[in-house]
Amino acid sequence: MHISLNGESYQLAEGSSIEQLLTQLEFTGKRVAVEVNQEIVPRSQHSQTLLNEGDQVEVVQAIGGG
Amino acid sequence: MLNDLMTIAGKSYRSRLLVGTGKYKDLEETRLAIEASGAEIVTVAVRRTNIGQNPGEPNLLDVITPDRYTILPNTAGCYTAEDAVRTCRLARELLDGHKLVKLEVLGDQKTLYPDMEETLKAMKTLVADGFDVMVYCNDDPIAAQKLEDMGACAIMPLGSLIGSGLGILNPHNIRIIMESAKIPVLVDAGVGTASDAAIAMEMGCEAVLMNTAIAAARDPILMASAMKKAIEAGREAYLAGRMPRKKYASASSPLDGLID
């Protein structure tokens, strides 16, 4: 299936969870926050939250800024 | 000076210098400059992660760690209240429920001047949502009062435009804001060099927030150290109380016992 990941189209196995997506992206253990269709999904729910075709996923992190 | 602490949102700090983490050459320079500044509150931005690029790359928060510093996520780059609120919520998730944020809603890219209408709108939502909001604003005493009334935990008027290094262009307005504010007033943006920071502190500002003045100096680590001293010197001068200005000279040496 295809999702939109940080504004780009991204292919992912059917029925993948957020945790699986983050593993695939090699973000395991990294400090990131995830939003699906503009709703934040808390870290504690990453493993049981499944993604669907067309979901708009944002993965953000802290970077340098004033 | 031992007991001269600053309190923001219920937490006390020894340092009155808040620093940003943008515009540094690399994470090592960021780390060293922040260490030299003595800052305890450090701002960060929230952005999309790079997908598929350098997954092993160190993260800013691995270097500027939340157990050592109070991380102050900002809403830089947001031009609407909606985007600013969304960014704060992402920051809260990113930092495990952390409530302290720096709200800034900008008007345009040329001036990065605060859009007060959107700032006030975002403020309302964020306070209702339980955030502790330090708010970047213009030096308008009426807007500052509104932000305080809405529940801001600190008001942060600009000294001059973000990244301009022009210093404090309207100290009179900032004084008026401080006169009526019952919450900390910090100068955020505009500091160019150490004397600008000292001037803000001599005026009685609670603290100063800066980024470019350190990061864009020829030697950022040395400038960070200069800023630390300027903030401390300015604070001590404020507490000490300056002498009155006089129109004419007043001899420092006694007039008695002069040789004829």
Side-chain angles (χ1 to χ4, degrees):
Chain A
M1 65 177 178
H2 283 85
I3 58 165
S4 160
L5 176 60
N6 289 359
E8 306 273 332
S9 174
Y10 189 85
Q11 187 149 15
L12 193 64
E14 205 70 38
S16 296
S17 67
I18 291 176
E19 191 178 44
Q20 284 164 325
L21 170 67
L22 294 179
T23 306
Q24 193 168 320
L25 294 170
E26 299 182 51
F27 287 164
T28 314
K30 294 262 178 199
R31 216 178 245 281
V32 295
V34 179
E35 211 184 45
V36 178
N37 302 328
Q38 301 217 17
E39 290 287 329
I40 288 169
V41 182
R43 202 162 300 150
S44 59
Q45 291 169 28
H46 285 184
S47 60
Q48 66 259 36
T49 306
L50 303 183
L51 293 167
N52 297 301
E53 174 75 30
D55 275 348
Q56 309 258 335
V57 180
E58 295 285 344
V59 181
V60 303
Q61 64 176 11
I63 65 152
Chain B
M1 294 293 288
L2 274 178
N3 292 317
D4 180 38
L5 299 177
M6 160 180 84
T7 303
I8 290 178
K11 194 170 166 193
S12 295
Y13 301 92
R14 203 164 290 281
S15 170
R16 291 172 182 271
L17 173 57
L18 287 72
V19 294
T21 50
K23 301 182 181 171
Y24 287 99
K25 190 176 69 190
D26 52 32
L27 283 179
E28 182 59 6
E29 190 184 67
T30 312
R31 185 182 71 79
L32 291 171
I34 286 161
E35 224 165 75
S37 76
E40 295 168 286
I41 304 178
V42 177
T43 67
V44 303
V46 177
R47 291 289 179 275
R48 283 173 164 170
T49 52
N50 285 325
I51 304 300
Q53 291 171 25
N54 317 319
E57 202 176 48
N59 187 296
L60 176 67
L61 295 178
D62 297 334
V63 176
I64 307 300
T65 58
D67 56 341
R68 175 161 177 197
Y69 296 99
T70 293
I71 305 295
L72 180 61
N74 69 25
T75 62
C78 291
Y79 289 85
T80 63
E82 197 187 349
D83 282 349
V85 169
R86 189 176 169 197
T87 302
C88 288
R89 288 178 176 152
L90 281 165
R92 181 168 60 185
E93 162 64 12
L94 193 62
L95 294 163
D96 309 312
H98 170 102
K99 292 194 306 185
L100 188 68
V101 291
K102 170 181 163 180
L103 171 64
E104 55 179 302
V105 189
L106 306 173
D108 72 24
Q109 293 187 357
K110 186 174 168 186
T111 64
L112 301 178
Y113 206 75
D115 179 331
M116 292 312 297
E117 192 183 350
E118 290 296 306
T119 302
L120 288 159
K121 224 195 286 178
M123 185 77 207
K124 195 172 173 187
T125 310
L126 290 172
V127 168
D129 208 359
F131 283 96
D132 292 325
V133 187
M134 301 177 74
V135 54
Y136 170 66
C137 55
N138 61 15
D139 57 17
D140 167 358
I142 306 303
Q145 186 63 55
K146 283 187 186 173
L147 290 166
E148 178 173 353
D149 293 344
M150 289 170 90
C153 71
I155 306 169
M156 307 201 289
L158 74 175
S160 49
L161 300 184
I162 292 174
S164 71
L166 291 175
I168 299 170
L169 297 184
N170 196 344
H172 309 289
N173 272 25
I174 292 178
R175 268 198 198 98
I176 294 171
I177 292 173
M178 284 191 297
E179 259 175 38
S180 51
K182 290 177 192 66
I183 56 174
V185 177
L186 288 75
V187 162
D188 179 2
V191 166
T193 188
S195 52
D196 296 331
I199 286 169
M201 295 309 295
E202 285 170 8
M203 283 167 53
C205 289
E206 196 73 18
V208 177
L209 197 165
M210 65 179 77
N211 186 345
T212 312
I214 296 176
R218 194 176 60 236
D219 182 339
I221 298 154
L222 189 56
M223 186 56 90
S225 157
M227 290 300 184
K228 177 179 196 261
K229 290 169 186 156
I231 293 284
E232 287 169 2
R235 178 65 183 174
E236 288 188 13
Y238 168 71
L239 293 175
R242 62 154 297 141
M243 61 163 282
R245 288 180 172 84
K246 291 175 193 162
K247 204 168 172 188
Y248 296 106
S250 155
S252 302
S253 308
L255 297 173
D256 291 345
L258 275 171
I259 48 170
D260 288 322

